[in-house]
Amino acid sequence: MKKFPFLNLKQANSQHINEIKDAVCKVIDSGIYLNGEETAALENEIANLCQIKFCVAVSNGLDALRLIICAYKEEGIFCDGDEIIVSANTYIASILAISDNGLIPRLVDMDPNTLNIDTSKIEEVINARTRAIMPVHLYGNPCWDETIKRLAQDYDLVIIEDNAQAIGAKAACCGIHGTTATGGLGNAAGNSFYPTKNLGALGDAGAVTTNNESIANIVRALANYGSDRRYHNIYKGYNCRIDEIQAAALRVKLRHLEQETNRRRLVAETYNREISNELITKPTIFTDMRQVWHQYPIRIAEREEFREYLKMNGIDSDIHYAVPPHKQPCYSELADSQMPVTELIADQLVSLPIAAPITPKDASVIAQIINGFNS
Ligand SMILES: Cc1ncc(COP(=O)(O)O)c(C=O)c1O
C-alpha cells in the first residue's frame, strides 16, 4: 500500500539539497555568521515579494510579531492594557505576541467560509482601548477585505498582519499601500520561516515587513539588544537576529517558492474537484485571490473515525488546531469567550497532506479513498 506522509521535511528539502548545501558551505567558509550579505540580500528579496519597502529578518515568526508590537509601544502608539483585535482561530503565537507586550488580545470569531476572522463582527468589539487589528492569513488564505481597511481608517487603528502561513499569497483587494501581496497589506507584518512553512528554513527564522521606515528601524534596533550603533543602546532590547546560514538556505528556497506554491495550488484544486463525500465540507477556492494552501483543511463531524480510516489506508493527517487559544490553560482569562465557529472548527477540522512530496496525482488517489468513507 502506498503511504502518504503528512510532512517529510527531509524529502521536501532534498529537491534542492545541492543548492542548499552549496549556499550553507559558502557561509561557513566566509567566517561571517550574523549580519552579513546573505541576510541583507534575503531582506531585499522578501521586501520585493511582499511589495513593500522594508524587511528586517529576525529569529522567528513569534519574535517578528512581538517586535512589531514592541516597536509601536516605543513609538508611544500602543500602551500597556491597550487592545488588539485578533482572530480566535489561530496558532497561539499570534495571541502570545500581544499578551507578551502587556496588551490584551480581543478575540473575534471566524467566518466558516473563509476560515478567517469574520470581518462583519470586528466593529462591535472596537472600544476606546482598541489600537490595532491583527488579521491572520490562516492556512495560506489572505484575510483581507474592504471592511478591515475601512475600520482601520475610521477608528485610526494599526493593521498588523500575521503572515506566518501565507507568504506569496495575494488578496482580492488592495492593501493600504495599493498592493495585494500579503505581508504588505497593512502597516506591518510578521512572517515565519519555521521549517514546515511554505518557505521554510533549516531551523527557526522570520521577518518583519513594513512600509514604515521608523518601525523598521526600531524593530532592527530592538532585535539587536536595542542598539542603533555599536555599544549605543537606545532601547532595552533583545537578541532576535537571524543566522546567515538560515538566510542563505532561505534564499535558495525562495527561488523555488513559486514552483512550490503552484504545486500546492494544483493539489488543492485536485482535492476540491475530486472529493465528493457528503460528510465532508471542503475549503472554498476563491478565484479573486491567490491562496497558497499552507494547509488543506476539511471539516467532518465524524473526525476520529475518519482519521482512523485514513490511517488504515496509509494517509497521514493532522489537526490545525484541536484546542483554540481561548481554551488553553495559560489563557484562563479568555476561557469564557463565546467563539462557536472557532470551537466547531476545532472539533471538526482535519488537514489533509499537501506539503511536498504530495503531487496532484497523489491527491487524486487520496480523494478516491476519502470518497469511500462512510461512518
Ligand atoms: C499563524 C502563526 N503565527 C505565528 C507563528 C509563529 O511563527 P514561528 O513558529 O516562526 O515563531 C506561526 C507558526 O508557527 C503561525 O502559524
Side-chain angles (χ1 to χ4, degrees), residues 269-281:
E269 277 161 23
T270 307
Y271 280 143
N272 262 51
R273 195 175 53 244
E274 298 190 19
I275 294 174
S276 58
N277 185 323
E278 61 188 18
L279 298 173
I280 286 169
T281 307

Side-chain angles (χ1 to χ4, degrees), residues 34-252:
L34 286 159
N35 298 329
E37 283 173 11
E38 294 293 340
T39 300
L42 177 71
E43 288 177 344
N44 269 329
E45 290 162 7
I46 297 289
N48 283 341
L49 181 67
C50 295
Q51 302 175 313
I52 201 105
K53 282 194 199 139
F54 306 102
C55 172
V56 183
V58 297
S59 35
N60 57 62
L62 171 58
D63 284 346
L65 292 168
R66 285 170 66 220
L67 291 166
I68 292 167
I69 298 170
C70 191
Y72 276 100
K73 284 184 84 178
E74 292 292 353
E75 282 227 308
I77 295 170
F78 298 169
C79 293
D80 286 348
D82 283 345
E83 296 185 4
I84 297 185
I85 293 170
V86 60
S87 319
N89 182 36
T90 182
Y91 182 57
I92 198 163
S94 322
I95 317 290
L96 291 172
I98 299 170
S99 58
D100 180 64
N101 273 291
L103 276 78
I104 296 166
R106 184 50 96 102
L107 306 181
V108 171
D109 207 5
M110 316 310 294
D111 175 336
N113 187 30
T114 63
L115 301 176
N116 276 323
I117 197 167
D118 184 341
T119 57
S120 72
K121 294 192 178 139
I122 293 178
E123 192 159 16
E124 65 204 51
V125 302
I126 294 177
N127 64 68
R129 294 310 298 263
T130 310
R131 291 289 171 273
I133 303 174
M134 184 186 285
V136 182
H137 308 304
L138 205 68
Y139 311 130
N141 258 1
C143 175
W144 190 258
D145 63 8
E146 295 294 346
T147 306
I148 294 179
K149 265 197 297 191
R150 178 182 62 76
L151 293 173
Q153 203 165 29
D154 289 357
Y155 294 93
D156 196 18
L157 305 176
V158 172
I159 305 176
I160 301 170
E161 297 168 75
D162 181 338
N163 196 33
Q165 300 193 0
I167 191 103
K170 293 227 164 111
C173 64
C174 286
I176 62 171
H177 310 295
T179 53
T180 55
T182 60
L185 297 169
N187 299 89
N191 300 271
S192 166
F193 308 129
Y194 182 73
T196 62
K197 294 291 193 277
N198 291 23
L199 175 62
L202 307 180
D204 276 318
V208 171
T209 43
T210 180
N211 256 346
N212 183 324
E213 188 166 15
S214 166
I215 290 296
N217 288 340
I218 300 173
V219 165
R220 193 177 292 286
L222 283 170
N224 193 32
Y225 313 107
S227 61
D228 57 345
R229 56 180 198 272
R230 202 156 185 236
Y231 300 136
H232 186 257
N233 296 73
I234 48 175
Y235 309 112
K236 292 170 187 149
Y238 310 92
N239 176 354
C240 299
R241 294 172 308 222
I242 191 174
D243 296 336
E244 280 284 283
I245 285 179
Q246 296 306 341
L250 281 167
R251 291 188 64 214
V252 172

